[in-house]
Amino acid sequence: MTIRTILVDDETLAIQGLQLRLRAHEDIEIIETCVNGREAIRAIKTHKPDLVFLDIQMPGFDGFSVVQGLMEVEPPLIVFVTAYSDHAIRAFEAQAIDYLMKPVEEARLADTLDRVRQRLAEKRGVEEADRLKEVLAEVAPEAAESLAETMADAADQPAANRFEKLINIKDQGQIFRVDVDTIERIDAAGDYMCIYTGDKTLILRETMKDLEKRLDPRRFQRVHRSTIVNLDLVKEVKPHTNGECFLVLQSNAQVKVSRSYRDVVARFVH
């Protein structure tokens, strides 16, 4: 899978440095470079790239203006690249897939590209399936119905690589990149989620329903109407009254499992 990429930066050396680092990734095809925001918008609309590395601080039309200028078209994946960390919050609010600091570190770039590949694979898989269904609907309606049923069954089986491995959380004016493996439990408080890791508690503005879609259900399960637990970090199950029980987590925190979610506990006793 080739990832068609555009680089945007008003500094020639910055573009050259990023080009050099991207050479190590054979699936990255740089199809255009731009030195300002207006050039970038024209190039993106013309070439329809998969990915854009976009500088924020540019004279006249900055990186955020470029994103606004793409509102009428399907935007590519955006990775902001800048020397100023104070733009991080706005970058993630602009739905960027990642935010890289100059000079770009090779390890961070590799991590970002892994996320890009995952997103593109998901998108292309959906597009291919839709095209196949359209063709079959015309030439073999019965086969199209069979395919739709098969895909529905497959959708019920979670695939590990479609779930988030890192979650970006804006809390108290900072951006935290949280490895989901370290999340012990999540408590809901309206439209806010309290994310508990081994050493900190962070607040995420998101609904429980939307957050559940981002986490692998084979590991993260509701044990209460407002609580999700990482089952890999459960070290003890303590029976309680009325068919309820408590899960003791690695941090020694105890979480009650309500009777409605007793099936979650069953996997620990088989």
Side-chain angles (χ1 to χ4, degrees), residues 6-19 32-40 52-59 61-63 66 79-84 100-104:
I6 290 178
L7 311 183
V8 184
D9 202 305
D10 62 319
E11 298 178 4
T12 302
L13 289 178
I15 286 182
Q16 292 174 347
L18 193 50
Q19 285 176 317
E32 184 77 84
T33 62
C34 305
V35 297
N36 61 58
R38 295 188 185 278
E39 277 188 19
V52 175
F53 286 91
L54 181 60
D55 185 25
I56 292 179
Q57 288 289 108
M58 294 183 292
F61 233 54
D62 66 8
V66 171
V79 175
F80 282 113
V81 185
T82 183
Y84 302 95
L100 298 177
M101 292 292 298
K102 297 179 181 179
V104 175

Side-chain angles (χ1 to χ4, degrees), residues 107-265:
R108 278 285 289 116
L109 178 61
D111 178 52
T112 295
L113 291 176
D114 282 343
R115 300 182 70 191
V116 167
R117 293 181 186 104
Q118 178 181 333
R119 293 282 185 90
L120 289 177
E122 293 170 2
K123 178 182 177 183
R124 288 171 177 172
V126 171
E127 290 174 348
E128 287 297 328
D130 288 343
R131 279 195 290 270
L132 179 57
K133 284 190 291 184
E134 289 176 4
V135 172
L136 285 177
E138 292 180 5
V139 301
E142 293 181 0
E145 291 181 9
S146 176
L147 174 64
E149 293 174 359
T150 301
M151 291 180 63
D153 291 339
D156 292 334
Q157 303 298 320
N161 62 1
R162 83 175 211 233
F163 299 106
E164 299 280 359
K165 293 181 174 60
L166 289 170
I167 294 180
N168 297 311
I169 301 177
K170 181 178 72 172
D171 189 356
Q172 298 182 358
Q174 299 183 62
I175 295 290
F176 296 89
R177 292 171 55 80
V178 178
D179 185 337
V180 296
D181 290 342
T182 68
I183 296 175
E184 188 175 70
R185 72 186 194 277
I186 301 166
D187 288 332
D191 287 343
Y192 290 88
M193 300 293 112
C194 297
I195 313 292
Y196 296 90
T197 66
D199 57 353
K200 61 171 68 74
T201 301
L202 300 170
I203 306 299
L204 173 67
R205 183 176 175 81
E206 187 167 352
T207 65
M208 178 76 84
K209 181 179 179 181
D210 288 340
L211 185 57
E212 276 188 302
K213 294 177 182 178
R214 301 169 63 187
L215 299 172
D216 189 341
R218 292 171 296 185
R219 299 176 56 209
F220 291 89
Q221 283 282 322
R222 280 206 205 197
V223 296
H224 188 276
R225 183 172 57 86
S226 58
T227 304
I228 294 175
V229 165
N230 182 347
L231 301 181
D232 288 346
L233 299 183
V234 174
K235 68 177 184 179
E236 184 181 350
V237 179
K238 297 174 63 175
H240 192 51
T241 59
N242 300 322
E244 297 179 335
C245 68
F246 284 93
L247 299 181
V248 182
L249 308 180
Q250 293 292 333
S251 66
N252 291 321
Q254 296 190 27
V255 179
K256 180 185 284 188
V257 181
S258 67
R259 284 181 293 175
S260 301
Y261 296 92
R262 283 181 299 181
D263 60 316
V264 174
V265 179

Side-chain angles (χ1 to χ4, degrees), residues 70-99:
L70 298 173
M71 297 298 288
E72 65 197 42
V73 300
E74 182 179 356
L77 296 179
I78 301 289
V79 175
F80 282 113
V81 185
T82 183
Y84 302 95
S85 61
D86 54 345
H87 291 302
I89 292 175
R90 284 191 67 194
F92 287 117
E93 288 176 343
Q95 304 302 311
I97 192 170
D98 213 339
Y99 178 97

